[in-house]
Structure formats: structure tokens, C-alpha cells
Amino acid sequence: MGLYARGLRRLGHTRWLAALGPYMVAADRKVQRRTRGRLSVMGRGFTQLLLTTKGRRSGQPRVSPLIYAAADGGFVVAGTNFGRGHHPAWTGNLLADPAATVSVDGRETAVRARLVDDSGPERERLWAAMLRVWPAYDTYARRAGRPIRLFLLEPAEQANGTASPTT
């Protein structure tokens, strides 16, 4: 992991970085879309994906750059919203329609989202995987004062039972 990524991981716990987060996400969305995931505002020290959901009200495609952890043949993502008191919009979109697409390094994969239970061994294991990628998620969870929605995005063919996990 490079110096830039190590610095971001350390600064991730600060309130001012959390306040800048939505602006960084907007910029990152543009950079990643234009470069097909080859470049990112966050740098290359993080596992990142572009999640495309269908807007639950508009029906229009909505793209969100997210940090993820690979687990169980899929992608784990956390709806921390930088520790804000409300859930990020993309989590509501997944609850309304779990079919989505992820793009990692320019490769698109159709996925089906599954909300992980708020407690239990699966939640603990997947949350620990997320903390290894971005330790500040624990800080965000404390600040949010709400349960953090954690999703496992499984490749659509795997979610339908036609393929086996790859990781």
C-alpha cells in the first residue's frame, strides 16, 4: 500500500475527511467512469468498485463508487455514509431492487445484493473483512448511531445457484 493510501486510511477517522467524503465520491465517480475504473481519486491502495443500481424513485441508473472486500465469491459493501445519521441512497435502491452491476477495473459483473443480518457470525466475519480494507468504518458506525447496512453482492449466476464461488 502506497504512502497516499496509508495516509487516507489514517485520516479516514477524522470528521473533516468524513465531511469531504461526499465531494470525493462525486469526483471519484466521474474519474472512474471516464477511465473505466483504471484511475481513482482514492488512489490504487483500496479495493474499489462502481456499483450501478436502479433508482428506487426515478428508475434511472445510479452509480456509486465504493470500497469493497472480496468474500464468499462476491463483493461486500458497507452503507456507512461517512458516519452520517441516514443511510446512503444506494442502500435503499438495493433494498428496492437487489439486481445491480459492479464494475471492477473496467470489468462489469451482474450481481444480486443480499442484506446481511445485523448480528451473527456472518455479519462479524464480513464486517471484519471490511475493516481490514478501511479501518475507519468502525468510527463511522459509532458516529452514525444507526445500524450499518452491510451487503453481499453475489454474481448473478452464483446467486441463482448456477455457479460456484471463486474467492
Side-chain angles (χ1 to χ4, degrees):
M1 180 177 301
L3 182 62
Y4 179 75
R6 282 196 307 266
L8 272 180
R9 283 173 62 108
R10 195 171 309 120
L11 293 173
H13 297 276
T14 65
R15 287 190 182 274
W16 67 267
L17 187 67
L20 286 176
Y23 302 103
M24 291 174 64
V25 166
D28 203 34
R29 180 182 307 117
K30 290 177 185 174
V31 168
Q32 284 199 44
R33 286 178 87 177
R34 288 200 173 105
T35 65
R36 299 189 129 184
R38 290 186 303 276
L39 297 176
S40 168
V41 171
M42 296 281 289
R44 302 306 293 164
F46 303 96
T47 52
Q48 300 174 68
L49 59 77
L50 289 176
L51 173 68
T52 303
T53 60
K54 183 171 77 172
R56 65 188 177 282
R57 293 189 188 116
S58 70
Q60 298 299 307
R62 301 294 182 210
V63 179
S64 303
L66 302 171
I67 294 173
Y68 75 92
D72 299 347
F75 312 90
V76 183
V77 292
T80 62
N81 209 13
F82 299 98
R84 288 177 174 74
H86 59 279
H87 297 286
W90 63 265
T91 66
N93 293 344
L94 286 178
L95 291 174
D97 183 356
T101 304
V102 298
S103 177
V104 177
D105 295 327
R107 290 186 309 268
E108 289 196 358
T109 303
V111 295
R112 186 146 189 91
R114 180 172 60 82
L115 181 64
V116 176
D117 289 337
D118 282 340
S119 62
E122 181 186 41
R123 170 74 178 211
E124 291 173 19
R125 180 176 55 80
L126 296 178
W127 184 251
M130 290 302 295
L131 292 178
R132 283 190 295 276
V133 176
W134 187 251
Y137 280 147
D138 255 351
T139 301
Y140 297 166
R142 280 191 302 275
R143 276 190 210 142
R146 61 172 169 79
I148 299 298
R149 292 176 178 164
L150 191 66
F151 289 89
L152 178 59
L153 309 175
E154 299 171 302
E157 66 276 359
Q158 178 182 325
N160 293 332
T162 59
S164 60
T166 56
T167 58

